[in-house]
Amino acid sequence: MKHKNIHEAILWVMERVNYVQKDTKISAGRNSYTVATERNFIKKVRPLFVEAGIYAAPIDIQTVNVEMVSIDY
């Protein structure tokens, strides 16, 4: 797949990825959310990235600790 620039290549991928299946439920207090995991996202997008000649590499890695706080109303 030949593109003039990275923007055209990203657009080409975006045109082909309509939806990434939500596959995991996350609970936060009384709320719960269904989300798409990184694994599911990569499974859907990676083959198209390869075909479009796009690669992704981390430029910085940070560890973030998050503490969940429950608020009762």
Side-chain angles (χ1 to χ4, degrees), residues 12-46:
W12 183 86
V13 172
M14 289 177 68
E15 289 170 345
R16 284 152 182 80
V17 177
N18 297 322
Y19 181 76
V20 177
Q21 184 67 43
K22 295 177 181 177
D23 60 336
T24 299
K25 193 171 201 174
I26 296 176
S27 296
R30 288 182 258 167
N31 301 316
S32 63
Y33 308 91
T34 306
V35 299
T37 58
E38 179 182 5
R39 172 184 284 200
N40 229 22
F41 175 78
I42 291 171
K43 183 179 175 181
K44 183 90 172 199
V45 173
R46 186 181 185 285

Side-chain angles (χ1 to χ4, degrees), residues 1-3 6 9 12-13 47-55:
M1 187 60 45
K2 185 72 173 163
H3 301 282
I6 187 66
W12 183 86
V13 172
L48 295 170
F49 267 34
V50 171
E51 191 173 342
I54 300 171
Y55 74 94

Side-chain angles (χ1 to χ4, degrees), residues 57-64:
I59 56 170
D60 188 20
I61 298 174
Q62 298 180 9
T63 301
V64 177

